[in-house]
Amino acid sequence: MAITCDVAILGGGTGGYVAAIRAAQLGKHVVIIEQDKIGGTCLHRGCIPSKALLRSAELYADMKDSESYGIETDGVRLKFGGVQRRKEGIVEKLYQGVQYLMRKNKITVVEGIGRVIGPSIFSPRSGAVAVELPDGEMETVVPTHLIIATGSRPRHLAGLEVDGIHIMTSDHALHMDELPSSIVIVGGGVIGVEWASMLNDFGVQVTLLEASSQLLPAEDEEIGRELEKLLKSRGVEVMTNMKLLTDSCEIVDRHVSIQIEQNGESRSLSAEKLLLSVGRVGNTENIGLENTDVRIENGFIAVNGNMQTTEPHIYAIGDCIGGLQLAHAASHEGITAVNHLAGEKMESYRSEWIPRCIYTRPEAASVGLTEKQAKERGYELKIGKFPFSAIGKSLVNGTKEGFVKVIADKQTEDILGVHMIGPHVTELIGEAALAQVLDATPWEVGSAVHAHPSLSEVIGEAMLAVDGRSIGI
Ligand code: FAD
C-alpha cells in the first residue's frame, strides 16, 4: 500500500524539515523521507558541531590570553575529549528538539533511501517516491507536490584519495579523537578558514592553501585580505594563488606530503593531516531524477524564483540547487516553496537578502553585493567604512581588529552591500539585512540611535560614513 499525502519531502535536513513544518502549519499532510538523521548536514556534520568546536577554541585562546585582562591562571590545559563531548551533547539536544517538532506538527517521517519514480500505477505523473526501508522492504510515497531537499556532500579532488585518517573532509575532521600537531587545509573558502582559525586556536600548526588570489573568494576583496592578515598574525601560514599538484600526494611516516606551485616556484609541504575543503557537490545523482523532466545545470537542480523545477509540481531547495549553500538559505527556500504550492501570498525570493556568516576569530559577515560585483553591474558607488578600533565596546571586549564597509548606490541611495569583519559581526549583520529588506538608506540606518557602548555603534558610524558624516573618526 502506498502512502498518499499533500507534500512529500525528500531529505530531512534544514531545508527539508523547515519546509515540512511550514506545510504542516498550513494544514498539509506531510511526509519526510530521510535516509539518515533528521537535521541533516547542518545539525550533524555542519553548522552546529563546527560552531561548538569553534566556541571551545575561542574560549581556550581567551583563557591563554587572560593576563591581558589582569587575570592570572595557573596553567590552562586543553582536554580535546571534553571538547568533543560538549559538541556531541549540543547536537544531541538539538536533534531531540527537531524530532519533537516532527511529532508536534504530526509530520510522518519515513526512514529510508528515496528515489523519485516516473509515471506508474501509483500516479500518472512523475514525483512519487520509492523508499528502500532499513529492513530492505519497499514503500511508496505518492504526494501531490514533491520537494527535493537532498543536500550536498564534500567535493573531492582527483588524485587525492580521502581515507578519513590522513586525508579528511570536514565530515571526518569533526570526529577527530585527538588534535594533530600540524595540518594542511586545502581551500580557503568558508569551511577552510573556519577550520584554520579553530585549529590554530587549539595550538595546531596550520597551513592554509587557496587557489585564487584571496581567501573567501566569494566575499568582498577587503574582507578576504583583512582575514588573511589577521590569520597570518596569529601564526597561520596562508598561501594564495596556489596550485596543488595532487598526483604528488603520498603518505610517508604517517604524514601527508604534497607538492604545490606558487608564483612559478614549487615547494613540498608535509603535515600530519590534510583537510580538503574545496566546495560541496549537490546530491542529485541516484535519486531518480532520470525518471523525471527535472533539469540539472552544472550539477545542481535548476529552479525558478518559486523553487519549482522544470516539472512545476516538483520543487527543489537547499544545497542541492547550489547558490549560497547555507542553512538559513535552505530554510528560506523551503518556506518559499511551501508558500507557493499552497497558494499563500509571499514576497519573491531574493538571494541578495541572505546574510553570509563566517565564524573565524574574528568573525566575518556580509549581505548584498561586493564592491567588485556592484561595479560590474554598472552602479556608481558611495562607500563608507568604520574600524572597530574606534569603538569603545570593542576595546572593552579585548578586540580592536576589523571594520564595517557599506556600499551604496550614489544615484538611489540604496544600500547595495554591507561587509563586516570583527567581533560578533555574525550577530551585527542582522541590522544590515533588515535595512536591505526595508529598503533603508545608509542615512536612515545611521539616524537610528545606537546605544553606547555597544558593538552596534560600528554599523551606525559606517552608514554615516557613506556621506562623510561619521562622528567617531
Ligand atoms: P542537508 O542538510 O544536507 O540535508 C539533506 C538531507 O537529505 C540529509 O539528511 C540526507 O541524509 C538526506 N538525503 C539525501 N539523499 C537522500 C535520499 N535519496 N533519500 C533520503 N534522504 C536523503 N550553513 C550555515 O548557514 N551556517 C554555518 O555556520 C554552516 N556551517 C557549516 C559547516 C560545515 C562543516 C558544513 C559542511 C556546512 C555548513 N553549513 C553552514 C552549510 C549547511 O550545513 C547547509 O547549507 C545545510 O545543511 C543545507 O541544508 P539542506 O536541507 O539543503 O541539506
Side-chain angles (χ1 to χ4, degrees), residues 10-16 33-37 40-42 45-47 50-51 112-114 149-152 170 191 280 287 317-319 325-328 330 359:
L10 183 58
T14 318
I33 301 128
E34 171 54 54
Q35 65 188 4
D36 188 7
K37 286 181 178 169
T41 304
C42 176
R45 296 176 297 283
C47 329
S50 64
K51 265 81 259 179
I113 302 170
T150 45
S152 65
S170 58
I191 294 177
R280 295 183 61 89
I287 57 170
I317 60 167
D319 281 14
Q325 293 193 313
L326 292 169
H328 46 283
Y359 296 81

Side-chain angles (χ1 to χ4, degrees), residues 257-297:
S257 147
I258 193 154
Q259 294 272 334
I260 58 159
E261 262 179 24
Q262 193 191 29
N263 306 326
E265 288 186 19
S266 62
R267 191 181 143 185
S268 181
L269 296 175
S270 172
E272 216 179 305
K273 306 249 183 212
L274 184 148
L275 173 64
L276 199 55
S277 52
V278 289
R280 295 183 61 89
V281 184
N283 289 330
T284 56
E285 314 91 349
N286 307 319
I287 57 170
L289 294 185
E290 64 283 4
N291 302 320
T292 69
D293 289 329
V294 170
R295 195 169 70 233
I296 308 277
E297 277 171 14

Side-chain angles (χ1 to χ4, degrees), residues 371-385:
E371 186 177 340
K372 188 163 173 256
Q373 288 166 338
K375 282 182 178 156
E376 280 167 0
R377 294 192 192 184
Y379 289 107
E380 219 185 317
L381 306 182
K382 297 200 279 189
I383 295 180
K385 216 171 145 185

